[in-house]
Amino acid sequence: WLLTAVLHDGARRLAWALALLLCVGVWFPVGWLQHLVFRRRLQLALTTLVAVTVISSLKSISMTSCPWSLADFGGVAHYMPHWSHLFETDGGNGRCFPAGHASSGFAFFSGYFALRRDMPARAAKWLVVAVVAGLALGMAQQMRGAHFMSHTLWTGWICWGTAWAIDALMSRFNFASITADLGEDA
């Protein structure tokens, strides 16, 4: 019950609810979001969604099966290193790498990058929460037999790289024309 109903289904719903609130907060900011300029609110929401999309896309083309599908644990798949055999079938269903559920936490690395310039203390706290959430959700899935630790850690790195890349792009993009219509600073 704890691993499935709370840490899988419940955590996923909570993550999507938070992502939805961040999306709404881009145009209708409340609380501390009001202290962020439009560009950073957009970055926060957009990066979260892009990180989840990158993980889901990689997962959809991955031929790596979950541990519970391996012959060693009663399944039919045979272990193969995920990066060296990403597109080679292991005999199972595949689509298990990277760890989609851990991305429910790691996708929120977005907050660190969006907040670090204007709210460094909040950015540091946000980062700690995202790391703890990603690792906790990854561990829950590992306990269920759905992933290896490497799946969780690679998910963290991919989400971090996605957030870093979007931060670099957002820093170069001119938001003056968009924010002028909103009556805000870029």
Side-chain angles (χ1 to χ4, degrees):
W1 171 83
L2 176 65
L3 296 176
T4 303
V6 176
L7 292 174
H8 187 268
D9 300 340
R12 184 180 58 228
R13 287 185 195 108
L14 179 62
W16 280 113
L18 180 55
L20 177 62
L21 288 174
L22 292 176
C23 290
V24 170
V26 171
W27 286 276
F28 304 103
V30 295
W32 59 269
L33 284 175
Q34 294 174 343
H35 302 293
L36 280 178
V37 295
F38 174 81
R39 160 196 307 236
R40 297 297 172 211
R41 294 191 311 263
L42 180 63
Q43 178 180 350
L44 181 57
L46 180 67
T47 303
T48 302
L49 297 176
V50 170
V52 170
T53 301
V54 167
I55 296 299
S56 294
S57 297
L58 287 172
K59 218 175 142 84
S60 73
I61 61 171
S62 169
M63 299 304 291
T64 302
S65 295
C66 298
W68 58 32
S69 297
L70 296 178
D72 294 344
F73 303 112
V76 296
H78 299 285
Y79 176 77
M80 296 172 73
H82 30 268
W83 285 118
S84 61
H85 300 284
L86 192 62
F87 303 110
E88 188 176 325
T89 184
D90 58 12
N93 296 337
R95 293 171 176 63
C96 196
F97 174 79
H101 196 60
S103 72
S104 296
F106 292 137
F108 291 98
F109 283 158
S110 59
Y112 169 75
F113 287 96
L115 300 171
R116 67 188 176 138
R117 291 170 191 85
D118 301 321
M119 301 176 181
R122 188 177 299 267
K125 290 176 187 171
W126 191 288
L127 178 60
V128 168
V129 170
V131 169
V132 169
L135 290 174
L137 296 173
M139 290 295 288
Q141 287 297 86
Q142 290 165 49
M143 291 169 63
R144 294 179 66 214
H147 290 288
F148 291 114
M149 178 57 102
S150 61
H151 295 191
T152 298
L153 295 176
W154 273 109
T155 299
W157 279 115
I158 294 165
C159 287
W160 181 267
T162 300
W164 174 82
I166 291 175
D167 183 59
L169 288 171
M170 296 289 285
S171 296
R172 288 172 175 71
F173 189 72
N174 181 1
F175 284 84
S177 62
I178 297 170
T179 57
D181 295 336
L182 298 171
E184 296 186 28
D185 294 328

